[in-house]
Amino acid sequence: MSDTTNNIQGVSAVTLRGMEAVAVEVEVEITGGLFNISIVGLPDVAVKESKERVRAALRSVGFALKGHVAVNLAPADLPKEGALLDLPISLAMMTSAGLVKPRERAFYMGELALDGRLRRVRGAVPAAFLARELGAPLYVPYGNAGEVGLVKGVTAYAVDSLSELIAILKGDKEPVPITAADTVDDAFTADPDFSDIKGQAAARRAAEIAAAGHHNILLLGSPGSGKTLIARAINGILPPLTDEELIETMLVRSTLGIPPEQGRRRPFRTVHFTASSVSICGGGSSLRPGEVSLAHRGVLFLDEFTEFRRDLTESLRAPLEDGRVVVSRSSGTVVYPSRVLLVLAANPCACGHLGDVVEKCVCSRIELERYKRKLSGPILDRIDLQISVPRLLPEELLSFSGAAESSAAIRERVCRARAAQQERWAQYGFSCNAELPEKIVRKHLTLSPEAHSYLSSMAGKMRLSGRGISRVLKVARTIADLAGDVELATPHLAESIMYRQGNMPW
Ligand SMILES: [Zn+2]
């Protein structure tokens, strides 16, 4: 290698803007003088740190960087982030030194270990979309092969190390193509499984209705009642993700570098009341998606809901309402999806024992009223089902001998009910009963005269608002769909109303 070369040829790479991959061109010029590496073109800290990794990795393949190495990332005004630029930067350096020639129009991404091995990176799914759109091949670390295989129609190769890539580019080795996963397994293991839950018939039924119509649900119960277990089990009775939904969830996960879930299992994310609003809704300095987006098309679980600060629940209001989160920063705005099934769990009162068979509630009247007020507000307005989960006595627990119905069996009913909803609402652009807007509810959820008079008398007694009536109708529709009934009738309404006031202990 001569001290001065002018062999500048760009290597194609990507950077991320939210869930979108944007093409970046990496150019390197090596000139004489004292050794140093400078990177220009709005690199972030991780890109700047790549100097050391790249230098060590190049040394591992017998290439010692010398002289002044200028790395230019174009376009200049686009912020570049992440370690995924390690591979294209090292490739551009070797190209500049005349050691290899990258394939024209191919995209390269990967983080380098000091010994030259490639580590999986975030952003492989968005990168695969970009490569497909541009008809260019994509080289990714082996660790990203699984998720890239989910993107149909992309030409992609998995690479193990820098030395392997050099061998491929020199024509000494055939690249390993990533074959598209033609079928993603529908089956997945429910964990926890409803067969592990003893008793709790009412809560099981409410969970099934929530899953069937995609209704948000609140579980109220004393500590130790098993409400958290039931909340977690809801995920296992939801229908498997469709192809489109699978890709949507993969995009969010890939943006954060989280590997795919098992098969078509829906996401389940728990948020604790100590969480920050950035971790829940996304944003911060790096514009990353938050928990509500990681839960997209799955369950967002807020345990101990009454402990959540008002500002946290306020920040969730728009994402829940709009099904998307808009994250803004001076450098731009990105949008993340946030269509979730919301599951809340809370104690029935401040001491936790209201309605408990074992311990007596010691809350005063005022404390009870104050606690009830915590169970109201913008998030609670979006809850379709409320159910109490009583703690069972030891002898009750022992009396349940045989195994309870499994999640797989419940999921079958849920899927049938979902199919009925899809068929009915597809022409209006909705897929489940919970999504229906007021207008559609009023026009299409019609009642027989008998059912109508029952609902109006109950609505009067319970002082239901227009919105409340609409929720009762939507849940009733799901109950009818689970039963395979075409007509909405009084028994469906009666059960639905039970989940409004609930079998609440107050
Ligand atoms: Zn109490």
Side-chain angles (χ1 to χ4, degrees):
M1 172 190 153
S2 64
D3 276 342
T4 309
T5 52
N6 274 315
N7 194 1
I8 303 173
Q9 189 196 344
V11 172
S12 296
V14 299
T15 192
L16 294 176
R17 245 195 76 76
M19 297 197 303
E20 188 194 355
V22 185
V24 171
E25 202 71 4
V26 184
E27 294 166 345
V28 169
E29 188 180 31
I30 304 178
T31 50
L34 283 176
F35 170 74
N36 92 321
I37 302 177
S38 65
I39 303 180
V40 295
L42 293 184
D44 74 349
V45 178
V47 178
K48 285 181 191 148
E49 281 170 355
S50 79
K51 286 181 195 174
E52 296 310 315
R53 293 190 298 269
V54 164
R55 194 183 181 197
L58 286 173
R59 207 181 294 130
S60 79
V61 295
F63 173 38
L65 269 179
K66 288 193 188 111
H68 177 71
V69 184
V71 181
N72 180 38
L73 308 173
D77 56 350
L78 175 76
K80 325 289 186 309
E81 59 158 314
L84 69 169
L85 288 169
D86 283 7
L87 182 63
I89 288 176
S90 63
L91 207 49
M93 287 173 177
M94 290 192 293
T95 308
S96 178
L99 294 175
V100 291
K101 206 171 151 37
R103 308 225 158 144
E104 254 177 274
R105 298 188 66 229
F107 284 99
Y108 301 88
M109 68 191 306
E111 176 180 344
L112 284 167
L114 299 182
D115 61 1
R117 270 176 305 128
L118 280 170
R119 294 199 171 115
R120 81 184 290 277
V121 283
R122 58 194 205 91
V125 173
F129 277 109
L130 178 70
R132 183 177 70 181
E133 192 188 312
L134 299 176
L138 172 71
Y139 290 79
V140 297
Y142 261 96
N144 290 107
E147 57 201 291
V148 170
L150 296 175
V151 181
K152 291 192 175 85
V154 65
T155 306
Y157 303 99
V159 190
D160 173 46
S161 63
L162 190 56
S163 57
E164 190 189 7
L165 184 62
I166 294 170
I168 290 166
L169 294 177
K170 285 184 171 171
D172 297 339
K173 193 173 186 284
E174 279 300 308
V176 180
I178 297 172
T179 44
D182 17 82
T183 50
V184 178
D185 206 356
D186 265 12
F188 52 83
T189 326
D191 179 31
D193 196 287
F194 268 98
S195 60
D196 302 330
I197 298 166
K198 303 247 186 242
Q200 304 294 8
R204 295 171 71 99
R205 169 72 175 164
E208 179 173 337
I209 296 166
H214 202 85
H215 299 289
N216 297 334
I217 181 170
L218 164 67
L219 303 157
L220 280 173
S222 304
S225 62
K227 58 185 188 293
T228 306
L229 193 64
I230 291 170
R232 294 172 50 82
I234 289 177
N235 195 42
I237 58 170
L238 288 169
L241 289 166
T242 63
D243 281 348
E244 206 176 315
E245 291 172 336
L246 185 65
I247 284 294
E248 288 174 15
T249 61
M250 271 313 306
L251 267 172
V252 182
R253 293 175 81 86
S254 176
T255 303
L256 285 166
I258 302 174
E261 270 273 6
Q262 180 201 3
R264 293 178 184 272
R265 188 211 300 264
R266 287 180 186 266
F268 181 94
R269 307 293 298 191
T270 305
V271 176
H272 196 253
F273 61 82
T274 54
S276 68
S277 81
V278 165
S279 75
I280 297 178
C281 297
S285 57
S286 53
L287 291 177
R288 304 278 172 97
E291 289 294 335
V292 68
S293 298
L294 275 167
H296 177 60
R297 299 292 180 197
V299 174
L300 183 71
F301 177 42
L302 273 54
D303 202 359
E304 301 185 66
F305 176 72
T306 48
E307 301 297 316
F308 276 70
R309 295 190 317 272
R310 205 66 174 188
D311 62 304
L312 279 186
T313 53
E314 270 303 321
S315 67
L316 264 171
R317 182 216 292 254
L320 295 176
E321 196 80 37
D322 309 337
R324 60 185 203 136
V325 189
V326 181
V327 179
S328 304
R329 200 176 57 162
S330 56
S331 61
T333 301
V334 292
V335 175
Y336 294 111
S338 61
R339 291 213 176 280
V340 298
L341 175 64
L342 191 63
V343 178
L344 310 181
N347 288 340
C349 67
C351 82
H353 300 298
L354 185 66
D356 193 5
V357 284
V358 185
E359 281 173 77
K360 231 175 128 56
C361 169
V362 294
C363 299
S364 69
R365 188 105 229 120
I366 297 166
E367 278 171 325
L368 282 180
E369 281 309 313
R370 194 184 306 144
Y371 192 84
K372 266 175 84 174
R373 274 201 298 278
K374 285 190 186 175
L375 288 171
S376 65
I379 303 293
L380 267 298
D381 283 350
R382 307 192 56 80
I383 295 294
D384 288 350
L385 298 153
Q386 293 190 12
I387 191 79
S388 137
V389 185
R391 187 149 59 141
L392 300 175
L393 293 167
E395 53 266 37
E396 283 179 290
L397 283 170
L398 286 172
S399 71
F400 296 108
S401 48
E405 197 180 25
S406 73
S407 289
I410 302 172
R411 188 161 70 224
E412 262 186 57
R413 282 197 299 272
V414 166
C415 288
R416 271 201 302 276
R418 278 282 178 105
Q421 295 166 60
Q422 251 139 26
E423 204 183 310
R424 187 183 317 115
W425 305 124
Q427 54 175 317
Y428 305 101
F430 303 105
S431 59
C432 52
N433 295 331
E435 282 178 357
L436 302 178
E438 195 72 35
K439 209 168 60 189
I440 300 277
V441 172
R442 232 172 293 142
K443 192 163 170 211
H444 295 280
L445 295 186
T446 48
L447 299 170
S448 67
E450 179 226 354
H452 189 270
S453 76
Y454 169 77
L455 180 59
S456 38
S457 89
M458 286 309 286
K461 267 189 220 156
M462 294 172 65
R463 295 201 204 124
L464 287 180
S465 62
R467 217 182 190 186
I469 292 174
S470 158
R471 286 190 190 284
V472 167
L473 281 166
K474 286 195 263 188
V475 170
R477 186 58 258 171
T478 302
I479 293 167
D481 285 333
L482 273 168
D485 293 337
V486 179
E487 298 294 328
L488 206 49
T490 307
H492 308 134
L493 292 167
E495 186 179 355
S496 174
I497 283 171
M498 202 185 82
Y499 303 118
R500 273 260 15 110
Q501 52 187 185
N503 46 353
M504 290 298 126
W506 47 67

